[in-house]
Amino acid sequence: QVHLVESGGGVVQPGRSLRLSCAASGFTFSAYPMHWVRQAPGKGLEWVAVVSSDGRTEYYADSVKGRFTISRDNSKSTLYLQVNTPRPEDTAVYYCVRDPGVRSEWLLIFDYWGQGTLVTVSS
Amino acid sequence: NLMLTQPHSVSGSPGETITISCTGSSGSIASNYVQWYQQRPGSAPTSVVRQDNQRPSGVPDRFSGSIDTSSNSASLTISGLKPEDEADYYCQSYDATTRVVFGGGTRLTVL
């Protein structure tokens, strides 16, 4: 079955960088667009970014554009999120999420979610 | 920019039917698909309705989605309410600029 496991979260100082990873299994990773979605403590869901199945096209929420970079390594079935110059408002659980748009750019809907990794931005 | 508005909370007793609304702020909500996600405390969200009214495999037919163009809103209806339905529910859609939007979430309490 589909399995998504995030890692790389933790406490990071404002302005420092970190990279989140998501290991995928149970499906043909290279065929699906993938997203990151975050949730601040006690708050709702916020979409962060999407990458196409071949990794060539990306799109970002305005709140992270220019600071975050989504990428993927299809040979390793792994999704990444590079978080640069984080701010306290980036504190959240970050979820790796699959888009069911097989071999398309994306459908912008979500069918499988990982359990998330918590990023806390604090000095 | 598209915004989706949900009630903060709804409640119902076991066996009852409840409806959660999701109202679009601009344009026609029928222009792009609406999805619904359930999030139980301490867990990741899961999909309960996709593409307006389709149930993913494994989701009971007690869950149904619909679109009402007259009110520019989507709705999630849960019939035969069960204690395990107590959770937060989020609607989600997107706009033509590849901007994904979530509603603010609705806390469902089963009395």
Side-chain angles (χ1 to χ4, degrees), chain B residues 53-75:
Chain B
N53 54 21
Q54 305 300 306
R55 273 187 311 278
S57 174
V59 175
D61 60 6
R62 301 186 297 106
F63 290 80
S64 62
S66 62
I67 301 292
D68 181 354
T69 54
S70 65
S71 59
N72 205 39
S73 65
S75 293

Side-chain angles (χ1 to χ4, degrees), chain A residues 37 39 43-47 59 95 100 106-110 113-115, chain B residues 35 37 39 43-45 47 50-51 90 92 94 97-100 102 104:
Chain A
V37 174
Q39 186 171 34
K43 303 296 184 181
L45 301 170
E46 181 188 15
W47 174 76
Y59 232 95
Y95 294 103
W106 42 64
L107 294 179
L108 301 181
I109 68 178
F110 313 118
W113 300 62
Q115 285 304 304
Chain B
Q35 285 61 239
Y37 304 94
Q39 186 177 33
S43 297
S47 176
R50 56 179 281 178
Q51 295 176 315
Y90 295 90
Q92 176 259 317
Y94 45 89
T97 65
T98 315
R99 196 171 148 270
V100 176
F102 286 97

